[in-house]
Amino acid sequence: MNRYDILVIEDNKNIQELIEESLKTSNFFVDSVKDGLEGIQKFKDKKYDLVVLNVEVPNLDGFTICKIIRKVSEVPVVFISSKRDEASQIKAYDCGCDDYIISPFSFNVFVKKIEAILKRSSKNLDYDTLQFDDMVLGLRTYSVTIAGESIELTLKEFSILKMLIEKYPQVITREYLLDNIWGYDFYGDTRIIDAHIKNIRKKINNSYIKTVKGIGYTLDRKQKF
């Protein structure tokens, strides 16, 4: 079996340890954190194959975390919660989760659910790409290649490039990029977008990014820098 990296965001120490032990026993790599803000930072710092998430973690609730993840990634998200009401479950799926597991639960069945979700997501891996001319983005691996050459981008840079490709040929404003990529943790001004665009252009060398003065950015198949 492939070795997968899983992020567990759970504030109950006993449950966290049981989840971690169950997953590690089944040959998964596991990182565990106890609150939402720490979880988002961990997610930004490392590429994970799946996220296990409690609805009621402190500092940033599970629903918000899932929405933030969905803005930049299609990585599978599995909720665990003692909330049995229909409204909570529907809200979780509306946020983009792949499964909602109600506590208490069998840890053996839990592991089997995780394995099944990862198996399905791995089968779809080859189809999770965006392409613009000879530039290809791997949406689950966060990889970027141009004419087959690998390019290293930060998560924010990757997210900007992804959004420009998805919205092409629209012109995307700086404010739109800030709202949809930075979201809750942005406290500066729109010039941070210009700095990231400059870095992207430098890294991809033959940039396709076109500045529309006074508005924002778009892609141009003919534009080369």
PDB file of all heavy atoms in Angstrom, residues 24-47:
ATOM      1  N   LYS A  24      -1.460   5.001  12.209  1.00  0.00           N
ATOM      2  CA  LYS A  24      -0.056   4.596  12.120  1.00  0.00           C
ATOM      3  C   LYS A  24       0.078   3.079  12.074  1.00  0.00           C
ATOM      4  O   LYS A  24       0.953   2.547  11.360  1.00  0.00           O
ATOM      5  CB  LYS A  24       0.733   5.169  13.300  1.00  0.00           C
ATOM      6  CG  LYS A  24       0.992   6.662  13.194  1.00  0.00           C
ATOM      7  CD  LYS A  24       1.847   7.169  14.349  1.00  0.00           C
ATOM      8  CE  LYS A  24       2.196   8.643  14.169  1.00  0.00           C
ATOM      9  NZ  LYS A  24       3.007   9.168  15.295  1.00  0.00           N
ATOM     10  N   THR A  25      -0.777   2.378  12.804  1.00  0.00           N
ATOM     11  CA  THR A  25      -0.762   0.918  12.770  1.00  0.00           C
ATOM     12  C   THR A  25      -1.093   0.405  11.373  1.00  0.00           C
ATOM     13  O   THR A  25      -0.625  -0.664  10.958  1.00  0.00           O
ATOM     14  CB  THR A  25      -1.770   0.351  13.781  1.00  0.00           C
ATOM     15  OG1 THR A  25      -1.401   0.788  15.094  1.00  0.00           O
ATOM     16  CG2 THR A  25      -1.786  -1.168  13.760  1.00  0.00           C
ATOM     17  N   SER A  26      -1.870   1.190  10.631  1.00  0.00           N
ATOM     18  CA  SER A  26      -2.257   0.819   9.261  1.00  0.00           C
ATOM     19  C   SER A  26      -1.312   1.405   8.218  1.00  0.00           C
ATOM     20  O   SER A  26      -1.666   1.520   7.046  1.00  0.00           O
ATOM     21  CB  SER A  26      -3.693   1.266   9.000  1.00  0.00           C
ATOM     22  OG  SER A  26      -4.582   0.634   9.885  1.00  0.00           O
ATOM     23  N   ASN A  27      -0.137   1.842   8.671  1.00  0.00           N
ATOM     24  CA  ASN A  27       0.945   2.244   7.756  1.00  0.00           C
ATOM     25  C   ASN A  27       0.777   3.640   7.176  1.00  0.00           C
ATOM     26  O   ASN A  27       1.305   3.944   6.096  1.00  0.00           O
ATOM     27  CB  ASN A  27       1.097   1.230   6.609  1.00  0.00           C
ATOM     28  CG  ASN A  27       2.538   1.103   6.148  1.00  0.00           C
ATOM     29  OD1 ASN A  27       3.466   1.239   6.943  1.00  0.00           O
ATOM     30  ND2 ASN A  27       2.729   0.850   4.863  1.00  0.00           N
ATOM     31  N   PHE A  28       0.038   4.514   7.867  1.00  0.00           N
ATOM     32  CA  PHE A  28      -0.084   5.896   7.429  1.00  0.00           C
ATOM     33  C   PHE A  28       0.900   6.773   8.193  1.00  0.00           C
ATOM     34  O   PHE A  28       1.230   6.492   9.350  1.00  0.00           O
ATOM     35  CB  PHE A  28      -1.498   6.426   7.683  1.00  0.00           C
ATOM     36  CG  PHE A  28      -2.564   5.769   6.849  1.00  0.00           C
ATOM     37  CD1 PHE A  28      -3.501   4.931   7.440  1.00  0.00           C
ATOM     38  CD2 PHE A  28      -2.635   5.986   5.487  1.00  0.00           C
ATOM     39  CE1 PHE A  28      -4.490   4.328   6.686  1.00  0.00           C
ATOM     40  CE2 PHE A  28      -3.623   5.380   4.720  1.00  0.00           C
ATOM     41  CZ  PHE A  28      -4.544   4.551   5.318  1.00  0.00           C
ATOM     42  N   PHE A  29       1.355   7.830   7.539  1.00  0.00           N
ATOM     43  CA  PHE A  29       2.098   8.882   8.230  1.00  0.00           C
ATOM     44  C   PHE A  29       1.073   9.859   8.794  1.00  0.00           C
ATOM     45  O   PHE A  29       0.149  10.271   8.081  1.00  0.00           O
ATOM     46  CB  PHE A  29       3.034   9.617   7.276  1.00  0.00           C
ATOM     47  CG  PHE A  29       4.193   8.793   6.797  1.00  0.00           C
ATOM     48  CD1 PHE A  29       4.254   8.370   5.478  1.00  0.00           C
ATOM     49  CD2 PHE A  29       5.216   8.441   7.655  1.00  0.00           C
ATOM     50  CE1 PHE A  29       5.321   7.616   5.022  1.00  0.00           C
ATOM     51  CE2 PHE A  29       6.287   7.683   7.217  1.00  0.00           C
ATOM     52  CZ  PHE A  29       6.332   7.273   5.897  1.00  0.00           C
ATOM     53  N   VAL A  30       1.229  10.281  10.052  1.00  0.00           N
ATOM     54  CA  VAL A  30       0.219  11.119  10.690  1.00  0.00           C
ATOM     55  C   VAL A  30       0.863  12.310  11.397  1.00  0.00           C
ATOM     56  O   VAL A  30       1.836  12.154  12.134  1.00  0.00           O
ATOM     57  CB  VAL A  30      -0.608  10.320  11.718  1.00  0.00           C
ATOM     58  CG1 VAL A  30      -1.698  11.199  12.326  1.00  0.00           C
ATOM     59  CG2 VAL A  30      -1.222   9.077  11.073  1.00  0.00           C
ATOM     60  N   ASP A  31       0.296  13.498  11.153  1.00  0.00           N
ATOM     61  CA  ASP A  31       0.611  14.690  11.936  1.00  0.00           C
ATOM     62  C   ASP A  31      -0.664  15.101  12.651  1.00  0.00           C
ATOM     63  O   ASP A  31      -1.737  15.155  12.031  1.00  0.00           O
ATOM     64  CB  ASP A  31       1.084  15.839  11.040  1.00  0.00           C
ATOM     65  CG  ASP A  31       2.475  15.603  10.481  1.00  0.00           C
ATOM     66  OD1 ASP A  31       3.293  14.991  11.183  1.00  0.00           O
ATOM     67  OD2 ASP A  31       2.735  16.024   9.341  1.00  0.00           O
ATOM     68  N   SER A  32      -0.574  15.397  13.953  1.00  0.00           N
ATOM     69  CA  SER A  32      -1.747  15.765  14.734  1.00  0.00           C
ATOM     70  C   SER A  32      -1.575  17.142  15.354  1.00  0.00           C
ATOM     71  O   SER A  32      -0.495  17.471  15.864  1.00  0.00           O
ATOM     72  CB  SER A  32      -2.003  14.740  15.848  1.00  0.00           C
ATOM     73  OG  SER A  32      -2.258  13.463  15.313  1.00  0.00           O
ATOM     74  N   VAL A  33      -2.633  17.938  15.317  1.00  0.00           N
ATOM     75  CA  VAL A  33      -2.653  19.248  15.965  1.00  0.00           C
ATOM     76  C   VAL A  33      -3.964  19.384  16.728  1.00  0.00           C
ATOM     77  O   VAL A  33      -4.917  18.639  16.484  1.00  0.00           O
ATOM     78  CB  VAL A  33      -2.506  20.397  14.942  1.00  0.00           C
ATOM     79  CG1 VAL A  33      -1.151  20.352  14.262  1.00  0.00           C
ATOM     80  CG2 VAL A  33      -3.627  20.338  13.900  1.00  0.00           C
ATOM     81  N   LYS A  34      -4.016  20.348  17.636  1.00  0.00           N
ATOM     82  CA  LYS A  34      -5.150  20.413  18.559  1.00  0.00           C
ATOM     83  C   LYS A  34      -6.099  21.581  18.330  1.00  0.00           C
ATOM     84  O   LYS A  34      -7.141  21.658  18.982  1.00  0.00           O
ATOM     85  CB  LYS A  34      -4.645  20.465  19.995  1.00  0.00           C
ATOM     86  CG  LYS A  34      -3.804  21.699  20.310  1.00  0.00           C
ATOM     87  CD  LYS A  34      -3.274  21.641  21.737  1.00  0.00           C
ATOM     88  CE  LYS A  34      -2.419  22.873  22.047  1.00  0.00           C
ATOM     89  NZ  LYS A  34      -1.891  22.830  23.432  1.00  0.00           N
ATOM     90  N   ASP A  35      -5.757  22.521  17.437  1.00  0.00           N
ATOM     91  CA  ASP A  35      -6.688  23.619  17.186  1.00  0.00           C
ATOM     92  C   ASP A  35      -6.680  24.026  15.715  1.00  0.00           C
ATOM     93  O   ASP A  35      -5.799  23.648  14.946  1.00  0.00           O
ATOM     94  CB  ASP A  35      -6.389  24.835  18.077  1.00  0.00           C
ATOM     95  CG  ASP A  35      -5.081  25.520  17.722  1.00  0.00           C
ATOM     96  OD1 ASP A  35      -5.046  26.219  16.694  1.00  0.00           O
ATOM     97  OD2 ASP A  35      -4.107  25.366  18.466  1.00  0.00           O
ATOM     98  N   GLY A  36      -7.694  24.789  15.333  1.00  0.00           N
ATOM     99  CA  GLY A  36      -7.915  25.119  13.937  1.00  0.00           C
ATOM    100  C   GLY A  36      -6.827  25.944  13.287  1.00  0.00           C
ATOM    101  O   GLY A  36      -6.409  25.663  12.164  1.00  0.00           O
ATOM    102  N   LEU A  37      -6.376  26.979  13.965  1.00  0.00           N
ATOM    103  CA  LEU A  37      -5.338  27.836  13.384  1.00  0.00           C
ATOM    104  C   LEU A  37      -4.042  27.062  13.169  1.00  0.00           C
ATOM    105  O   LEU A  37      -3.374  27.214  12.140  1.00  0.00           O
ATOM    106  CB  LEU A  37      -5.086  29.047  14.289  1.00  0.00           C
ATOM    107  CG  LEU A  37      -6.197  30.097  14.331  1.00  0.00           C
ATOM    108  CD1 LEU A  37      -5.869  31.189  15.334  1.00  0.00           C
ATOM    109  CD2 LEU A  37      -6.432  30.704  12.942  1.00  0.00           C
ATOM    110  N   GLU A  38      -3.703  26.236  14.134  1.00  0.00           N
ATOM    111  CA  GLU A  38      -2.512  25.396  14.015  1.00  0.00           C
ATOM    112  C   GLU A  38      -2.679  24.405  12.851  1.00  0.00           C
ATOM    113  O   GLU A  38      -1.736  24.128  12.106  1.00  0.00           O
ATOM    114  CB  GLU A  38      -2.272  24.643  15.317  1.00  0.00           C
ATOM    115  CG  GLU A  38      -0.945  23.897  15.370  1.00  0.00           C
ATOM    116  CD  GLU A  38      -0.737  23.157  16.682  1.00  0.00           C
ATOM    117  OE1 GLU A  38      -1.634  23.219  17.557  1.00  0.00           O
ATOM    118  OE2 GLU A  38       0.318  22.505  16.823  1.00  0.00           O
ATOM    119  N   GLY A  39      -3.903  23.903  12.695  1.00  0.00           N
ATOM    120  CA  GLY A  39      -4.177  22.966  11.615  1.00  0.00           C
ATOM    121  C   GLY A  39      -4.022  23.589  10.239  1.00  0.00           C
ATOM    122  O   GLY A  39      -3.418  22.989   9.338  1.00  0.00           O
ATOM    123  N   ILE A  40      -4.557  24.794  10.068  1.00  0.00           N
ATOM    124  CA  ILE A  40      -4.429  25.491   8.779  1.00  0.00           C
ATOM    125  C   ILE A  40      -2.967  25.778   8.469  1.00  0.00           C
ATOM    126  O   ILE A  40      -2.515  25.626   7.328  1.00  0.00           O
ATOM    127  CB  ILE A  40      -5.251  26.796   8.788  1.00  0.00           C
ATOM    128  CG1 ILE A  40      -6.734  26.470   8.599  1.00  0.00           C
ATOM    129  CG2 ILE A  40      -4.798  27.745   7.685  1.00  0.00           C
ATOM    130  CD1 ILE A  40      -7.076  25.848   7.264  1.00  0.00           C
ATOM    131  N   GLN A  41      -2.209  26.206   9.470  1.00  0.00           N
ATOM    132  CA  GLN A  41      -0.789  26.479   9.247  1.00  0.00           C
ATOM    133  C   GLN A  41      -0.054  25.213   8.838  1.00  0.00           C
ATOM    134  O   GLN A  41       0.791  25.222   7.940  1.00  0.00           O
ATOM    135  CB  GLN A  41      -0.157  27.080  10.503  1.00  0.00           C
ATOM    136  CG  GLN A  41       1.270  27.571  10.303  1.00  0.00           C
ATOM    137  CD  GLN A  41       1.363  28.617   9.214  1.00  0.00           C
ATOM    138  OE1 GLN A  41       0.673  29.631   9.256  1.00  0.00           O
ATOM    139  NE2 GLN A  41       2.202  28.378   8.208  1.00  0.00           N
ATOM    140  N   LYS A  42      -0.373  24.111   9.497  1.00  0.00           N
ATOM    141  CA  LYS A  42       0.254  22.828   9.172  1.00  0.00           C
ATOM    142  C   LYS A  42      -0.084  22.426   7.741  1.00  0.00           C
ATOM    143  O   LYS A  42       0.766  21.941   6.986  1.00  0.00           O
ATOM    144  CB  LYS A  42      -0.239  21.753  10.155  1.00  0.00           C
ATOM    145  CG  LYS A  42       0.640  20.514  10.213  1.00  0.00           C
ATOM    146  CD  LYS A  42       1.875  20.765  11.044  1.00  0.00           C
ATOM    147  CE  LYS A  42       2.650  19.485  11.250  1.00  0.00           C
ATOM    148  NZ  LYS A  42       3.914  19.719  11.977  1.00  0.00           N
ATOM    149  N   PHE A  43      -1.342  22.626   7.361  1.00  0.00           N
ATOM    150  CA  PHE A  43      -1.792  22.280   6.013  1.00  0.00           C
ATOM    151  C   PHE A  43      -1.051  23.103   4.960  1.00  0.00           C
ATOM    152  O   PHE A  43      -0.727  22.601   3.880  1.00  0.00           O
ATOM    153  CB  PHE A  43      -3.302  22.506   5.890  1.00  0.00           C
ATOM    154  CG  PHE A  43      -3.860  22.157   4.542  1.00  0.00           C
ATOM    155  CD1 PHE A  43      -4.142  20.836   4.220  1.00  0.00           C
ATOM    156  CD2 PHE A  43      -4.097  23.132   3.590  1.00  0.00           C
ATOM    157  CE1 PHE A  43      -4.645  20.502   2.970  1.00  0.00           C
ATOM    158  CE2 PHE A  43      -4.602  22.817   2.345  1.00  0.00           C
ATOM    159  CZ  PHE A  43      -4.879  21.489   2.032  1.00  0.00           C
ATOM    160  N   LYS A  44      -0.783  24.357   5.271  1.00  0.00           N
ATOM    161  CA  LYS A  44      -0.069  25.229   4.335  1.00  0.00           C
ATOM    162  C   LYS A  44       1.401  24.839   4.211  1.00  0.00           C
ATOM    163  O   LYS A  44       2.011  25.053   3.164  1.00  0.00           O
ATOM    164  CB  LYS A  44      -0.170  26.691   4.792  1.00  0.00           C
ATOM    165  CG  LYS A  44      -1.557  27.293   4.672  1.00  0.00           C
ATOM    166  CD  LYS A  44      -1.573  28.723   5.192  1.00  0.00           C
ATOM    167  CE  LYS A  44      -2.943  29.351   5.055  1.00  0.00           C
ATOM    168  NZ  LYS A  44      -2.974  30.741   5.573  1.00  0.00           N
ATOM    169  N   ASP A  45       1.945  24.279   5.273  1.00  0.00           N
ATOM    170  CA  ASP A  45       3.374  23.974   5.304  1.00  0.00           C
ATOM    171  C   ASP A  45       3.725  22.644   4.657  1.00  0.00           C
ATOM    172  O   ASP A  45       4.889  22.388   4.345  1.00  0.00           O
ATOM    173  CB  ASP A  45       3.880  23.962   6.756  1.00  0.00           C
ATOM    174  CG  ASP A  45       3.869  25.354   7.378  1.00  0.00           C
ATOM    175  OD1 ASP A  45       3.829  26.332   6.621  1.00  0.00           O
ATOM    176  OD2 ASP A  45       3.877  25.442   8.621  1.00  0.00           O
ATOM    177  N   LYS A  46       2.740  21.774   4.484  1.00  0.00           N
ATOM    178  CA  LYS A  46       3.033  20.421   4.008  1.00  0.00           C
ATOM    179  C   LYS A  46       1.913  19.911   3.107  1.00  0.00           C
ATOM    180  O   LYS A  46       0.762  20.304   3.257  1.00  0.00           O
ATOM    181  CB  LYS A  46       3.208  19.479   5.220  1.00  0.00           C
ATOM    182  CG  LYS A  46       3.596  18.055   4.880  1.00  0.00           C
ATOM    183  CD  LYS A  46       3.842  17.262   6.164  1.00  0.00           C
ATOM    184  CE  LYS A  46       4.156  15.812   5.881  1.00  0.00           C
ATOM    185  NZ  LYS A  46       4.400  15.039   7.131  1.00  0.00           N
ATOM    186  N   LYS A  47       2.250  19.026   2.198  1.00  0.00           N
ATOM    187  CA  LYS A  47       1.250  18.440   1.312  1.00  0.00           C
ATOM    188  C   LYS A  47       0.692  17.167   1.940  1.00  0.00           C
ATOM    189  O   LYS A  47       1.429  16.219   2.187  1.00  0.00           O
ATOM    190  CB  LYS A  47       1.877  18.120  -0.051  1.00  0.00           C
ATOM    191  CG  LYS A  47       2.357  19.355  -0.805  1.00  0.00           C
ATOM    192  CD  LYS A  47       3.055  18.964  -2.103  1.00  0.00           C
ATOM    193  CE  LYS A  47       3.593  20.195  -2.812  1.00  0.00           C
ATOM    194  NZ  LYS A  47       4.310  19.851  -4.050  1.00  0.00           N
TER     195      LYS A  47
END
